[in-house]
Amino acid sequence: MSDDLQQLYQQIILDHAKERHGAGLQEHDGVGTCGESHQLNPVCGDEITLRAVLSDGTLTSVSWDGAGCAISMSSASVMTDLMLGLARDDAMDLVDEFRTVMRSRGKIVADEEVLGDAAALAGVSRYPARVKCAMLAWVALEEALLAANR
Amino acid sequence: MSIPSAPHHPLTDTEVRRIRNDFPILDTQVNSRPLIYLDSGATSQNPLTVMEAEQEFYEQRNSAVHRGAHTLAVDATDAYEAARETISAFVGAAVDEIVWTSNATEALNLVAYSFSNASVGRGGAAAHRLAIGPGDEIVVTEMEHHANLIPWQELAARTGATLRYIPVDDDGALRLDEAAAIINQATAIVAFTHASNVLGTINPVAELVAMAREHGALTVLDACQSVPHLPVDVHDLGIDFMAFSGHKMLGPTGIGALYGRAELLNAMPPFLTGGSMITTVTMEGAGYLPAPARFEAGTQRISQAIALAAAANYLTETGMERIQEWEETLGRQLVEGLSQIPGIRVLGPAARVDRIGLAAFDVDGVHAHDVGQYLDHQGIAVRVGHHCAQPLHRRLGLTATTRASTYLYNTSDEVAAFLAAVAGVRPFFGVK
């Protein structure tokens, strides 16, 4: 199989797509404020409902329910790992960072120090039709954080 | 007008290879592999004659039609109306029964909006019998493409009529037993697809038309997946309206057609209004031309109509019976081949049914988008998603599937290469 495809579907992505860290919506226990967002990709029907809890400005819980392709599900999984425990503003910055990489058409090399396992998704940016798959969970988190802040 | 005639012997791989020479795009490399184009159900490729017809029009005749008396305008009008003759002959209609539209979607909306206009009293006494309202029912099927569903949902919402649908069973087969009860005295319109763009099955038009007629309901056929792939004769089918798209039958995008029985079209109030569809206009009102001009407001898709006629001629010269037979062969190869791959579920009834040369399938454990990406890397173009048929997918317990659809230019070698590639999908994604 071609290297390109291996590059897109790295083992770490396939593993996350199966393990799905954060999958299963958590009931809000009342501590802090909870925001929720539902995102749908009408092209393929991929969807995600994501809940984020902010406590003293820190992201204390990220959980989600979703159905979709390996890219969208692994992206939700790596994002959950990355975001837990971050300050709200840092989390928002990270969403922007990831979006910039995704929109770069392969021109920006993802910084593993910053993006962790999500750097493995950088290959998606060369496939414009799939960028929305990778962004689905991140957009959901962004909206959930805005909702939690209100 | 000379009607081209086709040879009688069946198409073979050898002849298909010759046909492929007429389609330059089929020589393309995708991801360093020869393109295997299995997405003709979405849009088909164009033969040289179609592209030449469009170019020739722009180089030699480009002008507005049905207005102006200069030579180019006359030439353009002649070519445009000759194209209508070609397309009407292609589907067995009279020439004034073919209305040009942008695509099949617009054709279906034209019918729905015209009925809507009739329902608020437009079109005078002639249109009175087309009016629908509370108590009337519009019947569709659960397998419809959104284009033959949403216009009827909207028509029902605007008029107070009720939308009902003929369900499919767990395999996707139309529940004809239920259709007999769903189509009844209250039914005003029965709109259904000739061949499903997802299941590939050909619906029993004659039976559905008989049920509709028994209760005086009008029939609307979505023929997007049939007109390009098998011989269609509107009068043999006995339907009242039929919509089809140019770009799925070797023609350009931006052109489609509506067939309507002349008597009905001439009773219908217009949908789009403006120039070229009127008799006398005052500041208070306007009189309208008979069909088809009544439904062709504004400057029309002239080069596209002419190019579509070239496409129809190409199909006729190749022979629609031969094309249908060839695609049946490819379709069987697809369905049988896919069914033998572990973890693959082909959509549609398993029993022997008439079908066109396409197959949609689910790969257990791998999302359709990932399947499509994997195949694209091997130069294979397929469609992934819900194929504009969300209710059908929901009924079959799926959100997205992969669809391979063939046409007259696909070889059995291509189908074999596709099947070999699909067999590699689950191993690649580590699904056991």
Side-chain angles (χ1 to χ4, degrees):
Chain A
M1 189 45 55
S2 73
D3 291 346
D4 279 356
L5 201 62
Q6 303 280 17
Q7 193 60 34
L8 179 63
Y9 291 109
Q10 294 177 31
Q11 194 55 46
I12 195 162
I13 290 173
L14 298 182
D15 290 346
H16 270 285
K18 284 202 191 80
E19 290 164 17
R20 303 192 177 192
H21 301 167
L25 275 182
Q26 301 289 324
E27 286 303 321
H28 181 213
D29 60 9
V31 180
T33 53
C34 179
E36 187 175 304
S37 166
H38 176 250
Q39 296 292 323
L40 172 75
N41 182 352
V43 178
C44 57
D46 283 9
E47 56 188 317
I48 191 166
T49 303
L50 184 142
R51 231 170 248 169
V53 177
L54 277 178
S55 190
D56 294 330
T58 300
L59 200 44
T60 54
S61 167
V62 177
S63 64
W64 52 275
D65 257 344
C69 63
I71 302 295
S72 67
M73 294 297 100
S74 64
S75 189
S77 178
V78 297
M79 185 196 75
T80 304
D81 289 351
L82 207 54
M83 293 292 182
L84 273 175
L86 288 190
R88 179 192 172 280
D89 291 351
D90 293 343
M92 291 298 247
D93 286 348
L94 209 50
V95 173
D96 281 339
E97 173 77 21
F98 187 69
R99 182 183 283 120
T100 305
V101 173
M102 282 300 112
R103 287 181 177 170
S104 76
R105 296 250 174 166
K107 294 200 177 68
I108 294 177
V109 180
D111 186 347
E112 254 182 82
E113 294 287 312
V114 179
L115 287 172
D117 283 358
L121 285 159
V124 176
S125 73
R126 294 172 54 225
Y127 302 89
R130 304 303 299 278
V131 168
K132 193 155 185 177
C133 309
M135 285 306 302
L136 200 66
W138 301 68
V139 171
L141 179 72
E142 196 174 38
E143 279 207 1
L145 286 175
L146 289 172
N149 228 28
R150 272 197 281 271
Chain B
M1 185 182 59
S2 67
I3 295 177
S5 63
H8 292 290
H9 59 271
L11 275 176
T12 59
D13 270 318
T14 312
E15 193 167 352
V16 168
R17 277 187 207 100
R18 270 201 301 277
I19 285 175
R20 291 173 67 84
N21 292 333
D22 297 333
F23 295 80
I25 201 170
L26 297 178
D27 261 344
T28 311
Q29 299 264 318
V30 169
N31 293 316
S32 313
R33 301 284 198 96
L35 168 67
I36 296 180
Y37 189 75
L38 293 173
D39 197 20
S40 295
T43 203
S44 60
Q45 299 301 346
N46 306 120
L48 284 166
T49 50
V50 167
M51 294 181 257
E52 285 162 4
E54 191 149 6
Q55 186 170 0
E56 194 247 355
F57 173 78
Y58 281 116
E59 286 181 352
Q60 297 177 29
R61 303 168 204 246
N62 184 34
S63 184
V65 297
H66 292 302
R67 61 190 80 167
H70 59 79
T71 303
L72 281 189
V74 172
D75 276 0
T77 304
D78 284 351
Y80 177 68
E81 289 304 328
R84 195 192 308 273
E85 279 181 44
T86 302
I87 295 302
S88 57
F90 188 69
V91 296
V95 70
D96 56 356
E97 293 178 317
I98 292 293
V99 177
W100 297 120
T101 61
S102 301
N103 46 39
T105 299
E106 190 190 289
L108 293 162
N109 275 280
L110 187 163
V111 178
Y113 273 97
S114 175
F115 279 44
S116 183
N117 291 340
S119 305
V120 292
R122 301 300 302 153
H128 188 69
R129 67 182 173 117
L130 305 173
I132 62 168
D136 290 326
E137 295 179 353
I138 303 165
V139 174
V140 296
T141 82
E142 203 173 9
M143 68 169 74
E144 294 311 308
H145 186 286
H146 297 163
N148 200 30
L149 169 61
I150 305 170
W152 307 117
Q153 289 177 344
E154 287 290 322
L155 176 62
R158 285 195 301 274
T159 58
T162 303
L163 184 74
R164 303 186 66 183
Y165 65 88
I166 304 166
V168 299
D169 67 17
D170 292 347
D171 290 328
L174 201 60
R175 291 287 304 270
L176 270 185
D177 52 333
E178 294 204 22
I182 291 165
I183 300 171
N184 59 45
Q185 281 306 324
T187 309
I189 299 165
V190 183
F192 59 99
T193 190
H194 193 179
S196 163
N197 70 315
V198 177
L199 307 164
T201 45
I202 298 172
N203 281 322
V205 178
E207 284 163 85
L208 289 164
V209 165
M211 288 182 209
R213 275 190 178 164
E214 190 190 330
H215 301 291
L218 295 171
T219 49
V220 182
L221 192 71
D222 172 357
C224 282
Q225 300 293 344
S226 59
V227 164
H229 301 288
L230 48 108
V232 168
D233 183 298
V234 289
H235 294 146
D236 281 355
L237 291 173
I239 35 121
D240 295 307
F241 297 98
M242 180 176 88
F244 55 102
S245 269
H247 70 101
K248 293 190 200 292
M249 53 182 283
L250 311 183
T253 52
I255 186 87
L258 171 72
Y259 156 78
R261 270 203 295 125
E263 170 240 345
L264 285 168
L265 287 179
N266 284 314
M268 284 160 62
F271 161 40
L272 299 174
T273 55
S276 297
M277 46 78 73
I278 46 82
T279 51
T280 306
V281 182
T282 65
M283 287 313 293
E284 288 72 38
Y288 303 124
L289 287 167
R294 176 180 303 181
F295 301 101
E296 295 176 359
T299 300
Q300 289 295 302
R301 300 142 277 235
I302 309 163
S303 67
Q304 291 95 323
I306 291 165
L308 180 56
N313 282 335
Y314 188 95
L315 291 169
T316 305
E317 280 163 25
T318 309
M320 288 308 293
E321 283 89 0
R322 303 167 80 218
I323 292 170
Q324 179 181 17
E325 236 175 272
W326 179 246
E327 290 175 28
E328 267 173 17
T329 310
L330 296 180
R332 247 192 323 274
Q333 189 187 353
L334 268 179
V335 172
E336 283 167 14
L338 285 167
S339 305
Q340 281 165 19
I341 303 170
I344 304 282
R345 167 190 170 196
V346 178
L347 273 62
R352 178 87 190 103
V353 285
D354 289 337
R355 46 188 311 151
I356 53 172
L358 68 79
F361 57 98
D362 177 53
V363 181
D364 184 35
V366 186
H367 189 277
H369 244 161
D370 298 319
V371 177
Q373 192 84 53
Y374 177 89
L375 295 175
D376 182 58
H377 266 269
Q378 307 196 31
I380 302 171
V382 293
R383 172 85 187 260
V384 297
H386 48 61
H387 320 306
C388 299
Q390 283 185 18
L392 175 62
H393 275 79
R394 201 170 294 121
R395 174 66 182 83
L396 299 177
L398 300 160
T399 51
T401 55
T402 307
R403 181 187 71 185
S405 51
T406 64
Y407 210 173
L408 74 166
Y409 40 60
N410 289 118
T411 64
S412 59
D413 291 347
E414 286 184 305
V415 173
F418 160 79
L419 292 170
V422 172
V425 169
R426 291 173 87 239
F428 176 82
F429 286 99
V431 180
K432 288 176 191 79

